Amino acid sequence: MRGLAYQVFYSLPGHTRHRLARLVAPKYLVGAVCIIRDADAEDGPLLLIRQPPNRGWGLPAGLLKKREDPAVGAARELLEESGVRLDPADLTPGVPNAIVHMAGVVDTVWFGSVPASRTTLRVDGGEVLEAAWFPIDDLPPLTVNTALLLGRYGIGPKA
């Protein structure tokens, strides 16, 4: 039966196969998450942000724009949410680089560092309420997703 279904599918015109595939394929939103450390300190503090309505702290992150390079999107989100400017080439992909969440979101994860003492943090007060540096051994209450994601990379309370 399965073989017959494949034969029928591949006998269809290319544009019809493409439309059918798009119709039945799962859809995912793709985002970028930044894990930024203080470049001037060994095991340096971690940059975290607090957004409404969450009471916990999270990482600078957001959805990629259509056809946007993930490193470019990560650098854009970092700047928009914290005021920290990093060249996309200065971001290192996490290993693994993509984390698939059950809710249909795929996050690409990027690591970077900046000198905290010489980096001004700026937030808009709407999308992001606060941005601050926290020592790894003294993190504030984290959002569930942030704690789980950091734990995958051996950072924080879920490491």
Side-chain angles (χ1 to χ4, degrees):
M1 185 66 167
R2 193 163 138 178
L4 178 62
Y6 277 117
Q7 286 178 354
V8 169
F9 178 76
Y10 285 110
S11 69
L12 297 171
H15 68 279
T16 303
R17 286 194 318 260
H18 180 74
R19 283 188 177 177
L20 277 173
R22 288 186 52 95
L23 183 65
V24 300
K27 307 229 181 341
Y28 291 92
L29 295 173
V30 180
V33 179
C34 294
I35 299 173
I36 306 299
R37 306 287 292 267
D38 180 359
D40 291 338
E42 189 174 321
D43 292 327
L46 185 65
L47 174 63
L48 296 173
I49 62 170
R50 193 171 63 82
Q51 296 177 290
N54 294 329
R55 298 184 202 283
W57 289 77
L59 297 164
L63 296 177
L64 298 179
K65 295 179 180 177
K66 192 171 187 171
R67 294 182 180 67
E68 183 175 37
D69 180 90
V72 171
R76 176 183 53 76
E77 286 293 339
L78 178 64
L79 179 62
E80 288 174 5
E81 294 189 348
S82 69
V84 173
R85 184 179 303 276
L86 256 178
D87 188 293
D90 293 332
L91 291 170
T92 303
V95 178
N97 181 241
I99 305 292
V100 179
H101 302 282
M102 296 302 291
V105 176
V106 176
D107 278 328
T108 59
V109 181
W110 300 89
F111 286 83
S113 61
V114 296
S117 63
R118 297 185 308 276
T119 302
T120 302
L121 301 177
R122 289 188 192 93
V123 298
D124 62 14
E127 181 184 0
V128 177
L129 301 174
E130 301 179 72
W133 297 96
F134 293 94
I136 295 297
D137 58 355
D138 191 24
L139 294 175
L142 301 172
T143 64
V144 172
N145 288 340
T146 297
L148 292 171
L149 189 136
L150 287 173
R152 287 186 177 225
Y153 296 96
I155 302 168
K158 302 262 184 203

